[in-house]
Amino acid sequence: MSQPSPLIQTMIRAARAAGDRLKQDFAEIATLEIKHKNGPADPFTIADVRAEQTVKTILAEAYPDYGFLGEEGGVVPGADASHTWICDPLDGTANFLIGLPIWAVNIALARDGEVIAGVTYVPMLDEMFRAEVGQGAWLNDQPIKVSTRQGLEQAVLGVGIPFMGKPRQAQFHAEMKRLTDRVSGVRRLGAGAVDMAYVACGRFDAYWEQSVSAWDMAAGAVIVREAGGMVTDTLGRPLDLMNGTVLAVTPQLSAALLHELRPVETA
């Protein structure tokens, strides 16, 4: 077993603290006031805000000079301009609000724009995924690797479906038409952080999404890579956290899947 570094230990502590509070809120969903950011398909609650504050407080105690980018609070610059925390305190809010236990606390650290460490915690399953560059990927202190399944016909894929108000609807429909009769299965969990963690541990062979935020994919990027996978945008270019698209995939399926995800204009 690899002993987590002090950095990862701090991230784990923050994720668990936020997760513990979220589990309390999850048990009292009916009492939470629901608000919306960008329309009815994009909800949030006080639980999201409290979880982000919990994460921010614990990280700031250990690393007071680092900047912070959170889904709820936006950008808070730090004295150390090279390091920025990237946090989604509750990835899968819609799942959370309907009582579905597939949601996660997502924390990553970027150095000069490159993610160097990540933690994805799924509280209701007590699954802590973690990785740091050069240290491998882990699930609850057990090393994990991506799937070795060969060929799309064996593959189980995770996907983020563009819900109401999201762009690239036509692209998604084209992708489904190309892929659904060629793969073993397609899953839509509703929490990109969990999808990426499932690629890292071999449950899924790939995950992609055409409209995703930095805080949803940052931690997963390093976890998947340290597990032996590849993370790019959906055109196969180097991942840009601000670009809005992501593909996490096993090396053996990368070329075939990129072909099926080609832009609809060239189909």
Side-chain angles (χ1 to χ4, degrees), residues 10-237:
T10 300
M11 296 169 73
I12 288 174
R13 185 159 55 89
R16 284 199 182 278
D20 287 346
R21 181 53 196 263
L22 285 168
K23 285 193 286 187
Q24 296 177 33
D25 289 328
F26 190 67
E28 301 173 356
I29 295 170
T31 68
L32 296 178
E33 180 185 0
I34 303 172
K35 300 181 180 180
H36 299 88
K37 300 175 200 171
N38 302 302
D42 194 9
F44 76 102
T45 71
I46 189 62
D48 300 67
V49 177
R50 284 193 296 236
E52 182 166 299
Q53 188 56 54
T54 296
V55 170
K56 185 186 296 185
T57 298
I58 292 173
L59 296 179
E61 288 173 352
Y63 301 90
D65 293 333
Y66 289 5
F68 191 92
L69 170 61
E71 179 176 13
E72 307 308 328
V75 179
V76 179
D80 180 344
S82 294
H83 291 87
T84 303
W85 299 109
I86 305 174
C87 174
D88 186 345
L90 176 51
D91 183 41
T93 299
N95 287 351
F96 183 92
L97 290 174
I98 62 173
L100 189 65
I102 302 174
W103 43 270
V105 181
N106 221 30
I107 306 171
L109 178 63
R111 177 188 295 150
D112 297 323
E114 293 293 324
V115 180
I116 61 169
V119 163
T120 295
Y121 179 45
V122 187
M124 300 305 292
L125 301 179
D126 195 27
E127 292 190 330
M128 181 72 70
F129 298 85
R130 62 175 171 91
E132 189 172 2
V133 170
Q135 300 301 313
W138 303 79
L139 166 54
N140 292 349
D141 296 321
Q142 296 298 316
I144 54 176
K145 292 291 184 184
V146 296
S147 166
T148 59
R149 290 184 286 271
Q150 301 291 319
L152 285 177
E153 67 278 1
Q154 298 182 27
V156 177
L157 311 178
V159 62
I161 298 175
F163 54 74
M164 181 172 50
K166 288 273 190 173
R168 302 190 175 102
Q169 296 278 348
Q171 175 68 28
F172 171 76
H173 292 305
E175 293 164 354
M176 288 296 97
K177 184 176 181 180
R178 295 168 186 159
L179 280 166
T180 49
D181 65 351
R182 295 198 57 202
V183 300
S184 179
V186 180
R187 305 286 185 267
R188 202 284 199 192
L189 297 184
V194 180
D195 285 301
M196 294 186 79
Y198 282 10
V199 174
C201 70
R203 295 172 184 168
F204 290 172
D205 298 279
Y207 154 75
W208 82 96
E209 189 161 352
Q210 294 286 1
S211 184
V212 61
S213 300
W215 42 77
D216 296 320
M217 58 177 158
V222 66
I223 296 171
V224 171
R225 286 169 177 158
E226 287 295 308
M230 302 172 65
V231 185
T232 66
D233 73 5
T234 52
L235 296 177
R237 303 172 301 195

